[in-house]
Amino acid sequence: KLVGPRMGPPQVMSALFKLLADTNWIGEGSAVAKDAVADEKNLIRKAPSEGYRDENDSNTPESGQRTKRTVLVMPSEEGKSESQTIAEARMANIYAKQTSTSPLTPSDPKTLRELYETSYTLGPVFLDSSMTHNFLGQVSPACIRFLQQEARKGLNYLHAKTYDKPFQ
């Protein structure tokens, strides 16, 4: 959803909440952190940076089937698309040149964006237009899960027909 100059504050807030709630920030896909009411007998936690995962789920790092995370890149100018910005980004060009001339392995990701989508595991990725600074680099996966949960609640309140008990 794009934010336009004619949108009111509730619409802008709704767009922000939707971005936070619907983006696959940490590449968990269907293996999203389970609610407290979930069946806990099959849930495991391998590291503090991971949420609880179903041990029967085939979408685990051990299976090599990790879901690609969404990587957002801030457009360099108004009217430019994300793909145009990436094509002009200095770090993307340096990475592409380095991997084409001397790759570390034959399976190296071909683009910097693909590298972040598949191999970066420290948290969410929202890069500046040069692709050198991650705005969300200090945000943990647990914090993103919490933000997504709260954003979903906020969207539910914004779209609710009644406002009996909005803060419970």
Side-chain angles (χ1 to χ4, degrees), residues 8-26:
Q11 292 169 313
V12 172
M13 183 179 289
S14 178
L16 175 64
F17 285 170
K18 188 148 181 62
L19 172 74
L20 289 172
D22 293 347
T23 303
N24 185 5
W25 292 106
I26 44 185

Side-chain angles (χ1 to χ4, degrees), residues 1-116:
K1 188 170 185 179
L2 296 174
V3 175
R6 299 179 74 189
M7 294 175 78
Q11 292 169 313
V12 172
M13 183 179 289
S14 178
L16 175 64
F17 285 170
K18 188 148 181 62
L19 172 74
L20 289 172
D22 293 347
T23 303
N24 185 5
W25 292 106
I26 44 185
E28 290 181 329
S30 63
V32 179
K34 308 290 183 184
D35 292 333
V37 296
D39 179 20
E40 295 181 6
K41 66 181 165 75
N42 290 330
L43 298 181
I44 57 172
R45 185 173 183 185
K46 298 205 184 250
S49 64
E50 289 185 1
Y52 288 92
R53 296 178 186 268
D54 188 337
E55 66 183 4
N56 299 324
D57 189 2
S58 63
N59 188 22
T60 59
E62 293 83 16
S63 69
Q65 296 279 332
R66 188 167 179 87
T67 304
K68 283 187 176 182
R69 76 180 59 242
T70 301
V71 173
L72 299 179
V73 179
M74 180 73 74
S76 58
E77 297 174 16
E78 189 173 335
K80 280 200 175 179
S81 70
E82 190 176 36
S83 59
Q84 291 171 325
T85 300
I86 292 171
E88 296 172 359
R90 182 168 183 199
M91 281 305 291
N93 293 325
I94 290 171
Y95 178 83
K97 183 177 179 182
Q98 184 257 323
T99 54
S100 66
T101 58
S102 60
L104 296 174
T105 67
S107 63
D108 279 348
K110 302 295 182 223
T111 65
L112 185 59
R113 181 183 197 142
E114 188 180 327
L115 175 73
Y116 275 117

